[in-house]
């Protein structure tokens, strides 16, 4: 069971994720909890390059680096955990590439889908929670900390990414859109209602 969390920065993904992990563990499962870009030594080195540096990085390079980190994570962490029957909770996955490098930066979506397909060897999430909230609200929550390379983009970039996420979520299926303007507690309850039946280990 691969569960992914998506949304623009400041949408409350990290808070929701830690609440969900507690509930999943309380239900008896031992989840793998990870994130993108990163989650492996090689992936974290790529993350530092992507987010922690001031380097000029072209959109296609950015997409390739995101997928390089992703390939390492899927191969060395996610697939082995799934093969062992574990629940995997991942903070961002390839939908982030489609939202940010596709809708945000304007790269060709079919090309990005192909790159993501190669990086994940076709591993799709079983369930994706999209935390949605207006860009202004999300940015206000980030004002206290120093922005990373991507967070320095303007509001229009994040508007495009948000719209991209909502567009993708129209496909339904694995997608669940959560109203991230709600309190952290309400959001956790909403998310847990969706996840609970799927992740609770049999007694
Ligand atoms: P965060 O997950 O710690 O918020 O930061 C990850 C940043 O990287 C965030 O700005 C979204 C961005 N990102 C992409 O642009 N494309 C991707 O494929 C992924 C995984 C993240």
């Amino acid at each position: 069971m691969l569960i992914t969390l998506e949304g623009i920065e400041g949408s409350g993904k990290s808070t929701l994720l830690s609440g969900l992990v507690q509930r999943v563990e309380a239900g008896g499962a031992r989840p793998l909890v990870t994130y993108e870009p990163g989650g492996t030594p090689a992936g974290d080195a790529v993350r530092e390059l992507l987010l922690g540096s001031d380097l000029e990085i072209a959109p296609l390079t950015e997409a390739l680096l995101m997928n390089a980190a992703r390939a390492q994570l899927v191969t060395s962490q996610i697939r082995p955990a799934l093969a062992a029957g574990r629940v995997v909770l991942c903070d961002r996955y390839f939908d982030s590439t489609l939202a940010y490098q596709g809708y945000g930066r304007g790269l060709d979506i079919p090309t990005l889908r192909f790159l993501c397909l190669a990086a994940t060897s076709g591993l799709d999430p079983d369930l994706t929670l999209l935390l949605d909230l207006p860009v202004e609200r999300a940015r206000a929550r980030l004002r206290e900390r120093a922005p990373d390379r991507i967070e320095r983009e303007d509001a229009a970039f994040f508007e495009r990414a948000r719209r991209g996420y909502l567009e993708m979520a129209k496909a339904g299926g694995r997608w669940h859109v959560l109203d991230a303007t709600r309190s952290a507690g309400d959001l956790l309850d909403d998310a847990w209602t969706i996840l609970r039946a799927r992740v609770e280990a049999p007694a």
Side-chain angles (χ1 to χ4, degrees), residues 16-29 31 89 184-193 195-196 199-201:
L16 177 63
L17 185 59
S18 47
L20 284 175
V21 170
Q22 279 179 15
R23 293 201 181 182
V24 170
E25 286 176 343
L89 288 157
D186 287 350
L187 209 52
L188 177 56
D189 287 342
D190 290 353
W192 186 237
T193 304
L195 252 67
R196 180 178 195 151
V199 299
E200 273 183 342

Side-chain angles (χ1 to χ4, degrees), residues 54-193:
D54 279 324
L55 297 172
E56 194 184 316
I57 298 176
L60 180 59
T61 313
E62 190 173 82
L64 289 165
L65 288 171
M66 292 290 177
N67 277 296
R70 178 166 301 134
Q72 188 65 27
L73 181 66
V74 169
T75 306
S76 71
Q77 299 283 318
I78 297 181
R79 281 206 182 269
L82 293 174
R86 294 171 70 191
V87 171
V88 177
L89 288 157
C90 194
D91 185 343
R92 299 193 181 281
Y93 195 49
F94 65 75
D95 296 310
S96 285
T97 298
L98 302 172
Y100 283 77
Q101 282 68 51
Y103 291 89
R105 302 250 190 250
L107 291 181
D108 179 57
I109 301 272
T111 304
L112 290 177
R113 284 200 183 275
F114 176 76
L115 292 179
C116 293
L117 179 77
T120 60
S121 48
L123 180 66
D124 284 348
D126 296 290
L127 200 135
T128 300
L129 300 176
L130 170 58
L131 278 72
D132 180 60
L133 89 169
V135 170
E136 260 322 300
R137 296 273 301 262
R139 282 166 76 91
R141 290 181 184 175
L142 294 178
R143 272 183 199 129
E144 290 109 63
R145 61 175 162 99
D148 64 33
R149 197 181 59 81
I150 292 182
E151 286 165 358
R152 286 195 284 273
E153 291 296 330
D154 60 13
F157 173 82
F158 294 99
E159 290 288 358
R160 291 194 295 277
R162 180 192 182 200
R163 277 207 310 279
Y165 273 130
L166 290 173
E167 191 62 37
M168 290 190 281
K170 283 187 191 157
R174 67 180 167 91
W175 286 93
H176 296 264
V177 183
L178 299 174
D179 175 1
T181 62
R182 285 155 64 77
S183 73
D186 287 350
L187 209 52
L188 177 56
D189 287 342
D190 290 353
W192 186 237
T193 304

